[in-house]
Every structure is written in structure tokens, then in C-alpha cells.
Amino acid sequence: MNTQAADVAHSATRLGREELAALVASDIKAGSFVNLGIGQPTLVSNYLRPEQAVTLHTENGMLGMGPEAHGDDIDQDLINAGKIPVTELPGASYFHHADSFAMMRGGHLDVCVLGAFQVSAGGDLANWHTGAPDAIPAVGGAMDLATGAKEVYVMMSLFAKDGSAKLVQACSYPLTGVGCVTRVYTNEAVFHLGAEGVQVRETFGTTLAELQERVPVPLTAALG
């Protein structure tokens, strides 16, 4: 495929974790109901603007979660699914764990943001087990979120420690969900996944041509 079919938005430096979280937050549509997965995705809560009117859901039983809590605002009984102390927004509500999963499985979430070990070109997600003998399998509610949310955004580093790409033609790790991922946010690029294949929306500290040399899936520039 011609990776130079159109210009791709580009910035000179790679994004840090906080910058990436701010970018994801800015892309969430106003009025959405959203679940943030454990790890990097929890940072997104700190960058949602009040005017977005986004309602955050946690699988341990809360709607209306606010940013992370610090200092005197910390209440050890008020945590997200990753055990991080959080704040509550006006109108926040609490409910049974089973009700929380019913919301997830029932298609009531507009977006979930998850971490990943691998994402395939077809949108398959692998984020619960690497198959390593010393790894602790931890699927948690990720499979429910992956199949229940209307859109699945992934936040991850684009390359593993050994330099291999985490965006692959087919996942080699056990799958969490099939064909569920719609966007991948990384420190080097934002990818849209869909019927048109893997499209690069913007790059950070690299170019589309350089990415194509390292990522083993056909890449095209996102149009519009």
C-alpha cells in the first residue's frame, strides 16, 4: 500500500504518558459513558474537561468518578478498579458489582479505554496474558468491556522492550476480544482500525514511512 497517499499530522517529539492521556481525553465525545481500564488509561480521568460532561464508570461499582484524589481528598473507601483513590463528582452513584457488570455487558458504555499487550490489524485485543510461565493471568472485566462497549480505545506503547511491534497482523497472545478495537493510541502514533484497514491519524517523533518499516501491517494515512 502507498503510505504516502495523504499527509499525516506530525509533531516532532514522542508523547509522554500524561500527554497521551490528555489526547485520549480530548477525543472522547461529550456526554459519553466511559470506563477506564487499569494502568495508563486511569490517567485519562485527570484530563476530562467539565464541559465534556463525560460520566466515568468503574467496574467495582460507581458512576460519576472524578479525577484521582490526592492529599486530604483521599478516601480509602473511594477507589477505582485499579485501587487508585479517586474523587466523586456531583450526582455520583454506587451499586453492586453485579449491576456494574450488567452495565458493561448490556452495551450501556459508549467507550472503554484499555491497555494491551497486542492489537491485531483486524482489531483483535490481547491484554490479559503473555503466556510467559511466570506471568499472572488477569483478565478481570476486560473481556466484558471489550465485547460490551460500543467503542474500544487502546492505550499502549507501540513497541515492546525487545523492539517488536505490539500492533501486529495477528495476535500471538491469548485474545481478550475479537474485532473490538477501533482506535490505538501510542506514544508514537494514533491508529484508526476499521474496514479500510489500519490508518495512521497522526505521528509523534516519527513519520508514517518510518513506522511502516517497523510495524508489520499495511499502514495508510487517515483521510479527513
Side-chain angles (χ1 to χ4, degrees):
M1 290 188 180
N2 181 9
T3 60
Q4 303 301 324
D7 292 333
V8 173
H10 170 74
S11 63
T13 58
R14 288 176 174 80
L15 296 186
R17 288 164 56 93
E18 300 290 339
E19 294 169 311
L20 188 59
L23 177 60
V24 175
S26 69
D27 278 355
I28 295 175
K29 294 179 181 178
S32 295
F33 287 84
V34 178
N35 182 286
L36 303 177
I38 295 171
Q40 280 195 70
T42 61
L43 297 173
V44 173
S45 67
N46 299 328
Y47 295 96
L48 292 167
R49 305 182 308 279
E51 60 268 24
Q52 286 178 269
V54 168
T55 302
L56 292 180
H57 165 278
T58 66
E59 59 205 71
N60 52 321
M62 180 182 180
L63 271 178
M65 182 182 76
E68 292 179 19
H70 300 280
D72 294 338
D73 291 331
I74 293 177
D75 178 348
Q76 294 299 339
D77 290 326
L78 189 59
I79 59 174
N80 63 20
K83 301 183 177 64
I84 297 172
V86 295
T87 56
E88 59 182 357
L89 300 179
S93 59
Y94 305 90
F95 33 84
H96 193 278
H97 197 67
D99 294 324
S100 181
F101 271 72
M103 294 177 191
M104 293 155 56
R105 295 169 180 170
H108 303 290
L109 295 177
D110 297 301
V111 177
C112 71
V113 186
L114 300 172
F117 296 131
Q118 289 179 330
V119 175
S120 79
D124 299 338
L125 170 67
N127 76 344
W128 69 278
H129 193 25
T130 62
D134 59 344
I136 300 175
V139 70
M143 60 182 178
D144 305 274
L145 290 166
T147 58
K150 295 171 185 173
E151 287 202 77
V152 177
Y153 296 174
V154 163
M155 287 179 69
M156 67 179 188
S157 56
L158 183 54
F159 300 103
K161 292 180 180 179
D162 64 2
S164 61
K166 296 182 181 181
L167 182 57
V168 295
Q169 194 64 45
C171 295
S172 58
Y173 296 148
L175 295 184
T176 308
V178 176
C180 56
V181 179
T182 52
R183 295 186 188 183
V184 177
Y185 291 82
T186 76
N187 54 331
E188 300 195 41
V190 175
F191 303 89
H192 288 192
L193 279 57
E196 299 79 14
V198 181
Q199 297 187 320
V200 182
R201 189 182 81 183
E202 53 192 310
T203 62
F204 317 109
T206 188
T207 65
L208 179 54
E210 289 170 341
L211 285 176
Q212 186 63 92
E213 291 179 358
R214 300 186 64 189
V215 176
V217 301
L219 304 175
T220 58
L223 302 176

